[in-house]
Amino acid sequence: MIDRPEFDPADTVGLLPEPYPHLSDEMVARIGSYGTLESIDEGHLLYARGQRSVDFYVLISGTVTVFDIDARGRERQVVVHEAGSFTGELDLFDDRGILLNGRAGRHTSAYRLPRSAFRRMVSCEPDIGEFLTRCIILRRFGLVRRGFGGVMLIGHDTCVDTARIRRFLSRNGYPYRLLDSIDDPCALELIERQALRRSDLPAVFMGDGTVMVNPTTPVLADALGFSAPGEPGHVYDLAVVGAGPAGLAAGVYGASEGLDTVVIEGLAPGGQAATSSKIENYLGFPSGVSGHALASRAQVQALKFGARLTISRTVTRLRKLECHFELDLDDGTSVSARSVVAATGARYRKLGLGDFDRFDGRGIHYAATAIEGSSCSGSEVVVVGGGNSAGQAAVYLSRVAAHVHIIVRGEGLAATMSDYLVQRIGGSPRITLHVQSEVVSLEGAERLERVIWRNVQTGEVTTAHADSLFVMIGASPNTGWLEDALRLDPKGFIPTGDQVLSHRAGPFGTELRGLFAVGDVRSGSVKRVASSVGEGSVVVQAIHQFLRPELAC
């Protein structure tokens, strides 16, 4: 079985249809003015998988063959660049280890632009920059869809750790192939060849031939080159903690307005919004956009403007020093910044049931994406919650599941859910709403098999033979890293603006000068993607005000 990536072709609406176009002579000439024309020997590797900050090449003559190496050591050709083509994909905008190899053919010459020259060209030639960016996004989409340049994951789709690794790779847009460890011939061959035991699975086969046995998420992220090494003693203008919609917006606007910006994220860009299968009321996307696609585009924007993204690193403590902040990370390192934006959002709440933790990851989900949807095709599923996330999940799951049950404690959905979702749910024969009800028990052997709920008014008990339970009952703020730094409200959210004594920093300033809060983690915020994006963009003005020389220490 080859796993399908979490990416909807509809998300590419508005992008160029061809990821490997030939540039016009005029565009080649303009790009060439930022680099040097070089002759390249046949067989020379222009770049190799795992390298960072590789150069950008525009071919004048000859070819460059782009390829990767599969788990059996065989070379797989991805594309052959010819005259007028250019090399690279998303690695041009970040410092991660690159995914592919590039080898020159006969009589090859090209304009070579080092990373700094490439960034300058993209900034100074906006039409070319836009053209290249769209092509680069589509190239990564193609790699994810076809599994080129990624890793091979061997495991079973009911395994908790297999699901964890899949989710991490998918949400970070990293190509992978999932081979079922039970019945896939190639998987069985590799398991035997590597002398792997069942207890070793899942296993990740890396591009260099090494095998990682059930790696933790941070260890895997480091092995894949997700986090570039920091510069000792470097102090950023702005550190954004959290890469949900609010954090990504702050990163985009901060970097685009000249601030030396770093964004620190514990799992993947997008936050809870990235788990939404489709957001239909976000401005500018009349046909809707998946949260994953929105987050991916925002990430590229931030990188294009020069922000640095540090993935799979969690801030454990904030310390205010004389002239800057120190953010301690869970790997023992720290990041220094003159200002900080807290955009850590919230974590999912759980049901207070005795067997809940036993089935967590074994049928209980907190998001409804293609990964979760593939595990409940043709079966009954239960969604708990009455907010927009629950409604979007129910509508999406109704396309793949046999039937969807929505459980809410209230008398209906109108007070908590957008009207377009309420109407869609009411009109679907594959969705049943159970009001004034609550889940009372979960049953199953190795994984969830049945969900039981009770109507609190009538006492009637219903059992559904459902192997998937989607829990969307709100969240608690991720503010543990701030408990020693400032006062939080009674629910753990961050007070800002009129809620604190000093109002000099505007509506998003906290009682600690230089620390700002945006998005769901802020006390009194509106829990919507659009408002989070707005807060993340507007807060940059207050940051500039704080960083003015006359206000600096």
Side-chain angles (χ1 to χ4, degrees):
M1 176 183 70
I2 298 178
D3 192 41
R4 292 184 178 275
E6 184 184 333
F7 204 107
D8 186 344
D11 293 336
T12 61
V13 172
L15 299 178
L16 295 175
E18 173 55 58
Y20 297 101
H22 284 73
L23 303 172
S24 68
D25 292 343
E26 187 267 343
M27 293 175 77
V28 170
R30 285 161 61 193
I31 294 173
S33 67
Y34 293 85
T36 57
L37 182 61
E38 298 182 0
S39 296
I40 306 169
D41 294 336
E42 181 179 0
H44 175 69
L45 274 181
L46 280 71
Y47 48 87
R49 178 175 176 139
Q51 290 181 340
R52 300 179 188 265
S53 300
V54 299
D55 296 336
F56 173 73
Y57 293 88
V58 176
L59 270 68
I60 303 302
S61 62
T63 61
V64 170
T65 299
V66 180
F67 65 96
D68 73 346
I69 306 295
D70 67 16
R72 292 173 172 171
R74 299 173 301 188
E75 185 174 307
R76 299 195 304 167
Q77 180 177 299
V78 178
V79 69
V80 177
H81 293 299
E82 300 176 338
S85 299
F86 60 92
T87 64
E89 45 106 26
L90 281 184
D91 57 78
L92 291 168
F93 287 131
D94 60 35
D95 290 319
R96 293 184 183 180
I98 66 171
L99 303 180
L100 301 167
N101 309 280
R103 183 175 55 227
R106 298 179 60 190
H107 309 304
T108 298
S109 63
Y111 284 117
R112 180 175 70 86
L113 279 67
R115 180 63 60 91
S116 58
F118 172 78
R119 288 190 179 277
R120 188 168 64 254
M121 182 271 296
V122 168
S123 176
C124 296
E125 309 288 346
D127 58 328
I128 296 178
E130 179 183 359
F131 183 89
L132 295 179
T133 299
R134 292 182 174 182
C135 294
I136 284 167
I137 292 173
L138 283 179
R139 288 183 181 185
R140 174 56 65 93
F141 163 56
L143 295 182
V144 171
R145 183 184 61 186
R146 299 165 65 191
F148 280 128
V151 297
M152 184 176 294
L153 172 61
I154 294 182
H156 190 59
D157 59 5
T158 62
C159 171
V160 175
D161 286 311
T162 299
R164 170 182 58 83
I165 294 173
R166 288 176 62 195
R167 190 175 300 113
F168 175 74
L169 294 171
S170 294
R171 288 188 58 182
N172 280 283
Y174 199 91
Y176 73 96
R177 296 175 66 215
L178 173 64
L179 301 184
D180 193 288
S181 58
I182 294 178
D183 56 17
D184 188 286
C186 181
L188 296 175
E189 175 190 334
L190 290 171
I191 290 172
E192 181 178 0
R193 182 188 302 175
Q194 296 292 330
L196 296 174
R197 299 166 298 179
R198 289 291 168 182
S199 59
D200 293 330
L201 302 178
V204 180
F205 286 69
M206 307 293 284
D208 60 2
T210 60
V211 180
M212 303 187 72
V213 175
N214 195 14
T216 65
T217 301
V219 168
L220 179 60
D222 286 350
L224 297 176
F226 274 26
S227 295
E231 302 174 31
H234 183 77
V235 180
Y236 291 93
D237 293 328
L238 169 63
V240 181
V241 186
L248 287 172
V252 168
Y253 280 85
S256 68
E257 294 182 18
L259 298 180
D260 184 11
T261 302
V262 61
V263 181
I264 306 168
E265 167 58 40
L267 178 62
Q272 290 191 57
T275 66
S276 177
S277 56
K278 182 161 287 190
I279 304 169
E280 296 194 61
N281 59 352
Y282 190 77
L283 186 68
F285 293 88
S287 61
V289 60
S290 76
H292 177 72
L294 190 65
S296 297
R297 295 178 186 184
Q299 179 184 2
V300 174
Q301 279 182 296
L303 293 170
K304 186 182 74 170
F305 288 121
R308 176 189 171 195
L309 265 68
T310 297
I311 303 297
S312 193
R313 289 292 179 270
T314 301
V315 177
T316 58
R317 187 172 64 149
L318 177 74
R319 291 179 289 132
K320 181 70 167 73
L321 304 183
E322 184 178 355
C323 291
H324 66 273
F325 293 92
E326 284 289 318
L327 297 99
D328 296 334
L329 307 184
D330 56 358
D331 64 349
T333 63
S334 63
V335 172
S336 303
R338 297 168 62 200
S339 64
V340 175
V341 167
T344 40
R347 57 185 175 273
Y348 302 109
R349 290 197 180 115
K350 300 181 178 182
L351 297 176
L353 301 173
D355 284 333
F356 191 90
D357 289 340
R358 184 163 73 89
F359 295 116
D360 201 346
R362 294 178 171 86
I364 292 177
H365 310 284
Y366 304 95
T369 67
I371 290 178
E372 291 80 15
S374 65
S375 68
C376 58
S377 177
S379 62
E380 287 189 83
V381 302
V382 176
V383 177
V384 181
N388 275 6
S389 295
Q392 291 161 351
V395 170
Y396 169 72
L397 292 168
S398 69
R399 305 203 310 256
V400 295
H403 199 81
V404 179
H405 299 277
I406 303 179
I407 312 297
V408 296
R409 289 184 176 180
E411 298 180 354
L413 299 174
T416 56
M417 189 179 295
S418 295
D419 184 66
Y420 80 93
L421 287 170
V422 176
Q423 298 301 322
R424 194 163 296 177
I425 289 169
S428 173
R430 301 180 70 174
I431 303 176
T432 300
L433 174 65
H434 304 269
V435 300
Q436 297 181 316
S437 299
E438 61 182 7
V439 176
V440 294
S441 182
L442 306 174
E443 297 178 352
E446 296 298 320
R447 60 174 287 114
L448 182 66
E449 297 175 9
R450 290 173 297 279
V451 179
I452 299 94
W453 64 86
R454 181 182 64 233
N455 185 295
V456 297
Q457 293 295 317
T458 66
E460 180 184 0
V461 175
T462 304
T463 299
H465 291 273
D467 57 10
S468 294
L469 172 67
F470 293 82
V471 181
M472 298 176 170
I473 56 173
S476 303
N478 286 317
T479 50
W481 60 287
L482 289 169
E483 289 179 349
D484 297 330
L486 79 164
R487 178 183 58 86
L488 303 174
D489 77 5
K491 294 184 178 180
F493 292 90
I494 304 173
T496 59
D498 293 339
Q499 299 173 336
V500 298
L501 295 177
S502 174
H503 305 155
R504 288 177 298 172
F508 309 115
T510 70
E511 64 182 16
L512 191 59
R513 289 189 65 247
L515 173 66
F516 304 83
V518 295
D520 290 0
V521 77
R522 187 176 67 83
S523 180
S525 65
V526 179
K527 306 301 189 283
R528 288 290 187 270
V529 173
S531 61
S532 293
V533 170
E535 292 183 12
S537 58
V538 172
V539 73
V540 174
Q541 181 180 3
I543 294 169
H544 275 295
Q545 180 78 7
F546 169 74
L547 293 176
R548 275 170 30 198
E550 61 267 28
L551 297 179
C553 61

